[in-house]
Amino acid sequence: MEKNEPIHEIKLGRIRATIWENRSEDKDEVWHTAVPSRLYKKDNQWRDATTFRRDELPIASKAMDMAHSWILQREIELKRAAQDAA
């Protein structure tokens, strides 16, 4: 089984938005999801949290806004590639 990797990641300090590209089984439909997270260190290991402190909320919001823009651009590129292939 192949491991699904994120297609893109936006990092703003320790805040990030991870973007995933998903495809239907017949590969005809493509959609994207974005997951916000915050990196922190515990017991000398980096970990992810999906909760944010008050002062991190604007940064998380900006990262998700940037993810939205990236996804829109990606979808435009995919449509153009499909039209060129037809």
Side-chain angles (χ1 to χ4, degrees):
M1 178 183 269
E2 86 183 45
K3 185 178 179 187
N4 192 13
E5 297 283 334
I7 191 166
H8 190 67
E9 203 172 69
I10 295 165
K11 292 183 181 179
L12 300 174
R14 291 189 177 179
I15 306 297
R16 69 180 172 187
T18 304
I19 301 170
W20 299 86
E21 187 167 271
N22 306 282
R23 293 182 180 269
S24 60
E25 286 186 28
D26 58 9
K27 309 257 188 220
D28 284 347
E29 185 182 0
V30 177
W31 69 96
H32 297 85
T33 57
V35 179
S37 63
R38 172 179 52 90
L39 294 170
Y40 69 98
K41 206 170 196 179
K42 183 178 179 182
D43 300 328
N44 225 18
Q45 286 188 328
W46 287 102
R47 300 173 187 226
D48 282 306
T50 55
T51 58
F52 303 91
R53 297 179 187 123
R54 180 198 66 221
D55 293 342
E56 296 167 332
L57 288 171
I59 302 165
S61 177
K62 179 63 178 174
M64 293 303 283
D65 180 55
M66 292 169 71
H68 177 259
S69 296
W70 191 93
I71 290 169
L72 286 174
Q73 185 61 42
R74 173 71 176 167
E75 290 175 351
I76 289 168
E77 291 168 2
L78 289 172
K79 280 184 184 176
R80 283 187 186 147
Q83 288 171 349
D84 290 348

